[in-house]
Amino acid sequence: MLYAGFMSAPLPPFPLSQEPVDEPELLQLSSREDEPCLRADAARNRARLLEAAGRLVAEHGAAGVTMEAVAAAARVGKGTVFRRFGDRTGLLTALLDHSEKNFQSAVITGPAPLGPGAPPLERLREFGLALLRRSADELELQLAAEPDPQRRYSNAPRRFLRGHVLILLRRIVPDADCELLALTLMAYLDPPMVHYRSKVCGMSQERVEAGWLDLVDRVTRSVSPC
């Protein structure tokens, strides 16, 4: 697995004060689904529940996915769903598992400029564009899977994304307060903000992507050493 599973216990915030790290170090987080002792029947049950939840999303949207509805669709007891996913947020975030792994794989080992091989500023620009496009495709599910405020910025996938931005910023503007800049840039990419810009303000995808590039350029230029 490329990241800590959504069903892991709550994690502490990303260690913002640490020295620069390499991307592979961000991935040393265990997942319940990675455990070799996971029984084959438990894995089949999990896949069956996710298949049922996927059908509900396709038929009724993310709002139609409840623990009760998934249990009924999969013909299991509601307690089985709670034991496997913890709560509705855990279930919905598990549905995003495949795209999350694909995105992280592209960041770590994919072709440049999203993956390694391009200058860090170019990678940062492409990272935001790719994340905005992913959110446009999955926005309803991402919004429904938003963790509660206490977990929103400390869950494993978001820690990975913020950590990647932090690494790039430390290479682009090493003398800046990169921890705060990483938080600022990630706020632009949060699904609730994506929803507000597109659905409430009616901003086009093209305008939002251009805004990301402008923000990155202004931030990195304003804090670059003369």
Side-chain angles (χ1 to χ4, degrees):
M1 292 281 261
L2 294 169
Y3 67 101
F6 292 111
M7 299 311 301
S8 300
L11 296 166
F14 189 82
L16 295 178
S17 60
Q18 68 180 27
E19 292 301 312
V21 296
D22 293 325
E23 283 156 303
E25 293 185 36
L26 295 176
L27 310 177
Q28 305 305 313
L29 301 170
S30 65
S31 166
R32 188 177 297 178
E33 300 307 319
D34 284 340
E35 296 175 2
C37 59
L38 185 67
R39 300 192 316 273
D41 59 340
R44 285 194 297 269
N45 287 339
R46 182 177 188 275
R48 180 181 173 188
L49 292 170
L50 288 176
E51 181 182 359
R55 290 198 306 269
L56 290 172
V57 171
E59 295 170 3
H60 307 291
V65 179
T66 65
M67 306 297 265
E68 294 81 2
V70 171
R75 298 183 179 181
V76 299
K78 185 171 65 174
T80 300
V81 188
F82 278 99
R83 283 192 296 274
R84 177 52 55 191
F85 300 105
D87 56 21
R88 182 173 182 269
T89 296
L91 171 62
L92 291 170
T93 49
L95 285 173
L96 293 167
D97 177 89
H98 182 68
S99 65
E100 182 67 35
K101 287 191 288 186
N102 284 344
F103 188 82
Q104 292 191 15
S105 178
V107 167
I108 299 167
T109 61
L114 182 58
L121 179 56
E122 187 176 350
R123 291 193 70 192
L124 181 59
R125 288 160 59 96
E126 184 63 26
F127 168 84
L129 295 178
L131 202 55
L132 287 170
R133 291 163 187 166
R134 178 186 166 203
S135 290
D137 292 337
E138 302 175 342
L139 187 56
E140 182 185 2
L141 188 55
Q142 287 186 359
L143 288 173
E146 273 291 290
D148 63 66
Q150 292 186 348
R151 294 166 52 199
R152 181 165 296 156
Y153 301 108
S154 61
N155 71 76
R158 197 157 294 182
R159 285 178 62 196
F160 170 85
L161 298 175
R162 188 170 73 246
H164 178 65
V165 170
L166 178 59
I167 289 168
L168 295 177
L169 285 171
R170 282 173 167 165
R171 294 170 182 167
I172 299 166
V173 284
D175 296 329
D177 189 339
C178 294
E179 293 86 355
L180 283 177
L181 289 181
L183 291 170
T184 300
L185 291 176
M186 285 303 301
Y188 190 93
L189 304 173
D190 269 358
M193 181 54 68
V194 173
H195 175 269
Y196 179 76
R197 285 191 301 256
S198 62
K199 306 302 183 183
V200 179
C201 300
M203 296 182 183
S204 67
Q205 182 74 7
E206 292 76 15
R207 181 181 178 187
V208 171
E209 291 182 10
W212 166 258
L213 298 178
D214 183 55
L215 175 63
V216 169
D217 289 346
R218 290 177 184 273
V219 165
T220 55
R221 185 167 59 244
S222 66
V223 296
S224 295
C226 298

